[in-house]
Amino acid sequence: MKYQTYLIDLDGTMYRGKDKIPEAKVFIDNLNAKGIDYYFLTNNTTKTPQQVADNLTNNHQITATAEQVITPSLATAAYVKNMFDDDTKNHSAYVVGEYGLKSAVFETGIKLNETDPDVVIVGLDYDVTYHKFELATLAIKRGALFIGTNADTNLPNERGLVPGAGSVISLVETSTQQRAKYIGKPERDIMDFAAKAKNFDPKTAIMVGDNYNTDIKCGINAGVDTLLVYTGVSTHEDIAAQEIKPTHEVESLDQWDV
């Protein structure tokens, strides 16, 4: 089957931290040459779509625009807007996370509230502190809805597998004894958001990624075909142990015929 839309992971698929994956550029060049639509469906909430696109273009020579970048930050903001029927100006949130998440959430018009917000949103935060955990925990205990951007326990970069957003969120889950409502991969929420925002048919799309537990499960949960590439997190042993396999598997993306 020739797919009309590609949803592509970043860390471990397009690059590894600051390190390039040469086959990734070849893959994107092939999509461009054939005029096939593609979007970068990342669990990275620390950067804005423009920052993500600039990193791809300037540091990895991979053609990208901000409009091609889909993050849990954008999906979370849309989820909150829908939850409050677009009446965000009369609601408030406390956010643990970086600028990419905060900018998307507060651009909806929702107000910052550290004491008794309607919702607490937790993502990856490079400067997370006990005080932030404390505020989040107390607010959730008072009744705030608890949203986690994504459950990634680790992220692959040039140094290895470093802590991801899921590691931060799990601390709040432990302190509140509540599980977050997750938005990013592997939840289908982010795929549903992507399909609506970019107006593509999930039946003719494919999810491409290196991590079975996030990228591939996201496709499985949303009924979208999947392509696992062995350049990041998941190993052959990992996949052999899975009952539901990826639709396709390749060692590197230059082996895939778009």
Side-chain angles (χ1 to χ4, degrees):
M1 176 179 178
K2 292 295 183 180
Y3 297 98
Q4 297 178 16
T5 308
Y6 280 70
L7 293 310
I8 307 164
D9 174 58
L10 292 178
D11 285 312
T13 304
M14 291 289 98
Y15 50 72
R16 283 183 291 267
K18 295 179 181 177
D19 293 343
K20 293 179 174 63
I21 298 178
E23 297 84 359
K25 176 175 166 32
V26 175
F27 174 70
I28 297 299
D29 288 346
N30 287 338
L31 290 175
N32 280 317
K34 295 192 176 181
I36 298 172
D37 289 337
Y38 61 93
Y39 301 96
F40 298 101
L41 189 64
T42 176
N43 265 356
N44 187 329
T45 59
T46 65
K47 294 179 173 61
T48 65
Q50 187 63 60
Q51 289 172 324
V52 172
D54 288 345
N55 177 50
L56 282 164
T57 302
N58 299 331
N59 298 326
H60 300 280
Q61 290 69 58
I62 292 173
T63 305
T65 65
E67 289 70 30
Q68 288 177 296
V69 178
I70 300 163
T71 70
S73 301
L74 299 176
T76 298
Y79 182 87
V80 170
K81 283 184 69 175
N82 184 64
M83 185 172 69
F84 296 132
D85 294 324
D86 286 334
D87 184 28
T88 51
K89 66 181 183 297
N90 290 317
H91 295 276
S92 62
Y94 177 61
V95 180
V96 177
E98 295 291 320
Y99 178 72
L101 177 59
K102 291 179 177 178
S103 61
V105 170
F106 292 118
E107 280 173 9
T108 67
I110 200 167
K111 295 178 175 61
L112 171 64
N113 184 340
E114 295 183 348
T115 307
D116 56 351
D118 298 295
V119 59
V120 170
I121 301 167
V122 184
L124 183 58
D125 188 327
Y126 295 133
D127 294 307
V128 71
T129 63
Y130 180 85
H131 180 61
K132 292 179 182 179
F133 285 135
E134 186 179 58
L135 290 174
T137 298
L138 291 172
I140 294 165
K141 286 290 193 180
R142 292 189 189 104
L145 177 69
F146 179 16
I147 294 178
T149 56
N150 58 286
D152 293 38
T153 56
N154 297 90
L155 299 173
N157 70 15
E158 70 280 1
R159 293 173 295 163
L161 291 174
V162 298
S167 298
V168 178
I169 298 164
S170 67
L171 286 170
V172 182
E173 288 183 325
T174 299
S175 65
T176 60
Q177 298 174 40
Q178 290 187 41
R179 189 177 189 276
K181 160 63 182 175
Y182 286 95
I183 302 294
K185 299 177 291 187
E187 307 304 321
R188 71 171 296 157
D189 294 71
I190 193 167
M191 186 68 78
D192 290 343
F193 167 77
K196 183 176 180 180
K198 304 304 179 182
N199 193 30
F200 65 81
D201 183 355
K203 293 179 181 177
T204 60
I206 185 169
M207 178 72 222
V208 183
D210 68 292
N211 189 331
Y212 182 89
N213 287 322
T214 54
D215 308 316
I216 304 307
K217 280 188 176 178
C218 182
I220 292 169
N221 290 336
V224 173
D225 280 4
T226 56
L227 170 62
L228 179 82
V229 58
Y230 288 104
T231 52
V233 173
S234 293
T235 65
H236 288 279
E237 292 74 22
D238 294 332
I239 302 307
Q242 301 300 329
E243 184 176 345
I244 303 176
K245 309 295 185 189
T247 314
H248 312 279
E249 301 170 40
V250 291
E251 294 301 316
S252 61
L253 287 174
D254 59 342
Q255 298 176 354
W256 179 253
D257 181 12
V258 301

